[in-house]
Amino acid sequence: MTLLELERARARTAIVDEHIRCENRHDLDATMATFGVVARYDDQPWGDHRTGRDGVRSYYTELMRALPDLVTEVKHRYVASEGVVMEVTIRGTHLGPWRGLPATGQPLEFPLCAVYTFDADDKLAGERIYYDRGSVLGQLGLFHEPMRGLGRLFTVLSHPLTIARAYLRRFCAGSPHAA
């Protein structure tokens, strides 16, 4: 790595660290200041893609309202010439509406991987996150593992319906009148 590349990597790591500090302080304006003119946020598990500074701001506004005690704890960071990848643990309490769900009051704690990209000025151009949506929904009481407790009950009740729908689709697809 050349000296210039090393300096750029340091600058980018510093902006990501500042970004996470601002998130942890729940300082929306300072969080947004870490983004450049062009901004994008991709919450991959939900297929939620926000473009532009207003779109990114709306994502953070909703998140901070839903988890007013949100904390991001950095576990590992990986720096490459194209971006920075962080492995973090997210903690918070679901105290506000989120994703169409009313507040459950449930605590959340889950691992998350974030990929940060940068513009020519080494400001954030994008943040793309990956995490286990099922784990989050399980902690909110909305998802149950199929091999345990309530999950077994839901599996037994929904399994015949799922199989019947599959056969119905197969039958309709094979029908000469299927469009």
Side-chain angles (χ1 to χ4, degrees):
M1 197 178 264
T2 68
L3 186 57
L4 184 59
E5 290 170 330
L6 187 57
E7 297 246 349
R8 175 165 257 180
R10 284 186 187 139
R12 289 176 169 186
T13 301
I15 200 79
V16 171
D17 289 344
E18 176 64 14
H19 177 79
I20 292 171
R21 277 193 298 277
C22 295
E23 282 181 355
N24 284 339
R25 286 194 318 261
H26 301 261
D27 185 338
L28 183 57
D29 289 333
T31 300
M32 291 305 301
T34 63
F35 282 91
V37 175
V38 175
R40 180 175 178 95
Y41 199 98
D42 295 293
D43 186 332
Q44 292 300 118
W46 288 92
D48 185 359
H49 307 288
R50 311 282 177 107
T51 56
R53 292 182 61 81
D54 290 342
V56 173
R57 179 178 284 278
S58 71
Y59 181 88
Y60 279 109
T61 299
E62 293 164 18
L63 181 64
M64 291 178 184
R65 192 173 293 141
L67 302 170
D69 59 346
L70 173 75
V71 174
T72 301
E73 179 187 348
V74 176
K75 298 295 187 174
H76 303 283
R77 76 174 40 93
Y78 308 94
V79 181
S81 58
E82 300 83 26
V84 174
V85 177
M86 303 287 261
E87 289 182 77
V88 303
T89 298
I90 300 294
R91 289 185 190 85
T93 311
H94 183 216
L95 298 175
W98 181 67
R99 305 271 180 218
L101 305 170
T104 63
Q106 294 296 106
L108 290 173
E109 181 174 331
F110 58 94
L112 178 145
C113 183
V115 178
Y116 298 92
T117 58
F118 300 87
D119 63 16
D121 297 322
D122 291 327
K123 292 282 209 161
L124 292 179
E127 180 176 356
R128 188 171 50 253
I129 60 173
Y130 301 90
Y131 55 92
D132 179 11
R133 182 172 147 180
S135 175
V136 172
L137 291 173
Q139 291 178 47
L140 295 177
L142 300 169
F143 173 78
H144 304 282
E145 289 294 333
M147 299 308 290
R148 290 190 278 163
L150 280 176
R152 282 185 187 265
L153 176 62
F154 289 129
T155 299
V156 166
L157 293 175
S158 68
H159 183 68
L161 295 174
T162 302
I163 297 300
R165 280 195 304 265
Y167 276 114
L168 186 58
R169 274 192 299 271
R170 182 174 164 203
F171 174 76
C172 290
S175 168
H177 302 302

